[in-house]
């Protein structure tokens, strides 16, 4: 099993920044792709960004491209999501996820491609 614990959420004004962290523990060697998803009230969970532990090119949803950056610290088995120029529409619960396989650009967006999920961290952007 793999455990994922997110942190770093909070309340920020529009235009501000937050950095989310996701610490992975357990059988992390069995995971290859890491992703961030978000879910706003009344909406479906949606893809935000993904990357592999091996440092492959990251992949972003169009809505966050140029504002968010996903990265990893392999030594600490931690995934980060740096969020800049935040907008009220970025308000959501953000979830970290991990897949037991390498995902491609064609499959990284797929919710059901991921095997492990964190409990989520709330991000609220005020206007």
């Amino acid at each position: 099993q793999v455990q994922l614990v997110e942190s770093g959420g909070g309340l920020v004004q529009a235009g501000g920044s937050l950095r989310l962290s996701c610490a992975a523990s357990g059988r992390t060697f069995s995971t290859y792709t890491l992703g961030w998803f978000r879910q706003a009230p009344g909406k479906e969970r949606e893809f935000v960004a993904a990357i592999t532990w091996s440092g492959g090119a990251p992949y972003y949803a169009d809505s966050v491209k140029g504002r968010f950056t996903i990265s990893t610290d392999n030594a600490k088995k931690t995934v980060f999501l740096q969020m800049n120029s935040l907008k009220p529409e970025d308000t959501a619960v953000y979830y970290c996820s991990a897949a037991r396989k390498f995902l491609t650009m064609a499959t990284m967006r797929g919710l059901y491609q991921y095997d492990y999920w964190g409990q989520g961290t709330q991000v609220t952007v005020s206007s």
Side-chain angles (χ1 to χ4, degrees):
Q1 285 291 338
V2 174
Q3 294 77 42
L4 302 172
V5 179
E6 302 99 333
S7 61
L11 173 64
V12 64
Q13 288 188 332
S17 298
L18 281 175
R19 189 192 196 202
L20 304 184
S21 299
C22 172
S25 61
R27 298 171 62 89
T28 57
F29 58 85
S30 67
T31 60
Y32 296 91
T33 306
L34 297 308
W36 285 98
F37 287 75
R38 67 186 181 186
Q39 188 167 17
K43 295 188 176 181
E44 295 185 351
R45 193 170 297 189
E46 65 175 5
F47 172 79
V48 174
I51 195 169
T52 61
W53 284 120
S54 60
Y59 182 55
Y60 299 95
D62 288 343
S63 59
V64 306
K65 200 173 295 183
R67 299 188 299 123
F68 290 11
T69 302
I70 188 171
S71 62
T72 62
D73 182 333
N74 284 10
K76 296 182 179 180
K77 288 303 178 188
T78 301
V79 185
F80 303 100
L81 186 68
Q82 177 68 43
M83 306 185 295
N84 299 329
S85 303
L86 283 162
K87 305 175 181 180
E89 51 264 43
D90 294 318
T91 294
V93 177
Y94 282 71
Y95 297 90
C96 176
S97 59
R100 290 196 299 257
K101 50 189 175 293
F102 283 109
L103 299 179
T104 66
M105 286 180 60
T107 56
M108 277 181 172
R109 292 176 169 272
L111 196 68
Y112 298 103
Q113 299 286 347
Y114 295 83
D115 303 288
Y116 305 103
W117 293 87
Q119 82 289 351
T121 185
Q122 176 70 47
V123 171
T124 303
V125 184
S126 63
S127 58

